[in-house]
Amino acid sequence: MCRLYGFRANEPTKVECSLVYAQNALLSQSLADLRGEAHPDGWGISCYEDHFPIVERRDTAAHEDERFSLAAERAYAEIVIAHVRKATVGGHSLDNTHPFVYDAWTFAHNGTLRGFEHLAEELYSETDEDLKGLRRGRTDSEAIFLWLMSRLREACNNDPLPRPDQDTLMTVLAASARELDERSRRTGVERLSRLNFLLTDGQLLVGTCFRNTLHWVERNGIHDCEICGIPHVHHDPKRRYRAVVLASEPISHEDWQPVSDGSVLAVDETLSVTIRDL
């Protein structure tokens, strides 16, 4: 299993406190999450600049790697996805470290596709030829991401650089999660798959909650950070600041809301939140 963090705001924002200094920061979760489990097998942070991801990944434990704190300090963007990994499928290596990127897309996964050893060739055969060669690691997560990109292309008239609207993205992501679960069950697995995904193209941010915890919180207006005491935004007074944060576990003392299991949640460019059943 792993721990996820997704951030979407209408103005560039520093997220260092959430990643490093908060009561349950992602750095702390790499050492021990709220269940007492460690996630020491790598970390990654993807920040968007001019609608494209700038990614730093390491195969070290975030709580033991000063570069995690340095990367978090530099994270100043409207969209951020971060991940700390507990290896299940695929060994401990940089190539197996999340998040994974293609063009403007960033993807991270918390969970395991059970029976992947029986499904890997099937997913590979259904992945577009030019995407097959992009795979570097051995995880179920990267294979799912490239397979999912192929499905999004198909939904967008076979556009090699798909930019679906929110409804299309939510529909494809939800249908894909259901289908992966059904295929997993058919392999005869004893334990069910856990398929919490975070996916963004630098405009929309979408997440699934499927047998793992996911929480979200909405921030309206400029407030001093409860950790460092200052706001994290160079604010334009002509705008009303808004942000939405998704995380596997509540990170701060804010009023985090659990996402219902079996749901897909989307945050659009206006920071409106839509939640549907898978």
Side-chain angles (χ1 to χ4, degrees), residues 31-58:
L31 178 62
D33 63 19
L34 294 179
R35 304 165 301 177
E37 295 187 10
H39 304 268
D41 298 316
W43 60 267
I45 300 174
S46 176
C47 297
Y48 276 73
E49 297 180 10
D50 298 323
H51 305 299
F52 279 87
I54 307 298
V55 183
E56 183 163 358
R57 302 188 303 167
R58 297 264 284 176

Side-chain angles (χ1 to χ4, degrees), residues 14-18 21-23 223-233:
K14 284 184 68 67
V15 298
E16 179 184 11
C17 284
S18 292
Y21 298 115
Q23 295 86 359
H223 303 281
D224 290 341
C225 171
E226 66 177 46
I227 305 301
C228 69
I230 60 175
H232 293 162
V233 187

Side-chain angles (χ1 to χ4, degrees), residues 33-278:
D33 63 19
L34 294 179
R35 304 165 301 177
E37 295 187 10
H39 304 268
D41 298 316
W43 60 267
I45 300 174
S46 176
C47 297
Y48 276 73
E49 297 180 10
D50 298 323
H51 305 299
F52 279 87
I54 307 298
V55 183
E56 183 163 358
R57 302 188 303 167
R58 297 264 284 176
D59 61 357
T60 49
H63 65 274
E64 295 178 344
D65 188 351
E66 65 177 8
R67 283 181 57 176
F68 178 84
S69 296
L70 293 173
E73 182 181 8
R74 293 192 298 268
Y76 179 72
E78 293 183 2
I79 295 186
V80 178
I81 286 183
H83 183 277
V84 290
R85 182 175 185 238
K86 180 179 181 180
T88 52
V89 179
H92 182 169
S93 73
L94 183 60
D95 285 338
N96 290 334
T97 304
H98 307 221
F100 303 102
V101 297
Y102 166 68
D103 186 52
W105 292 92
T106 296
F107 174 86
H109 175 203
N110 171 22
T112 304
L113 177 61
R114 300 292 178 186
F116 176 66
E117 65 275 15
H118 303 294
L119 299 173
E121 287 300 320
E122 188 176 301
L123 297 180
Y124 182 80
S125 69
E126 296 171 8
T127 300
D128 289 349
E129 288 297 324
D130 63 314
L131 296 177
K132 290 177 180 177
L134 300 180
R135 190 175 180 202
R136 295 291 179 265
R138 305 300 300 171
T139 63
D140 54 337
S141 305
E142 187 181 20
I144 289 169
F145 174 46
L146 297 174
W147 175 80
L148 182 60
M149 285 293 100
S150 300
R151 292 170 69 90
L152 282 172
R153 284 176 167 184
E154 183 179 2
C156 295
N157 299 313
N158 295 313
D159 187 341
L161 302 177
R163 295 293 185 271
D165 57 29
Q166 177 177 295
D167 182 68
T168 299
L169 182 56
M170 294 181 76
T171 298
V172 170
L173 195 60
S176 297
R178 291 195 307 268
E179 184 170 338
L180 289 169
D181 182 54
E182 291 169 2
R183 293 188 188 189
S184 172
R185 289 170 183 262
R186 289 201 296 267
T187 68
V189 293
E190 295 182 1
R191 300 171 63 188
L192 296 178
S193 295
R194 297 175 183 265
L195 302 171
N196 277 31
F197 302 145
L198 282 185
L199 181 67
T200 182
D201 63 349
Q203 298 292 326
L204 301 169
L205 174 64
V206 182
T208 59
C209 182
F210 203 169
R211 302 196 185 101
N212 265 331
T213 59
L214 187 67
H215 297 78
W216 70 286
V217 68
E218 187 174 18
R219 297 169 181 165
N220 287 298
I222 299 296
H223 303 281
D224 290 341
C225 171
E226 66 177 46
I227 305 301
C228 69
I230 60 175
H232 293 162
V233 187
H234 298 302
H235 180 53
D236 178 356
K238 297 179 182 178
R239 307 179 70 181
R240 178 168 179 79
Y241 178 79
R242 295 190 66 201
V244 176
V245 191
L246 299 174
S248 298
E249 301 178 352
I251 287 173
S252 60
H253 289 140
E254 297 167 280
D255 186 22
W256 292 80
Q257 301 297 313
V259 180
S260 298
D261 190 25
S263 298
V264 56
L265 180 151
V267 186
D268 67 14
E269 298 93 331
T270 70
L271 279 296
S272 295
V273 176
T274 303
I275 302 176
R276 298 180 188 167
D277 291 339
L278 283 173

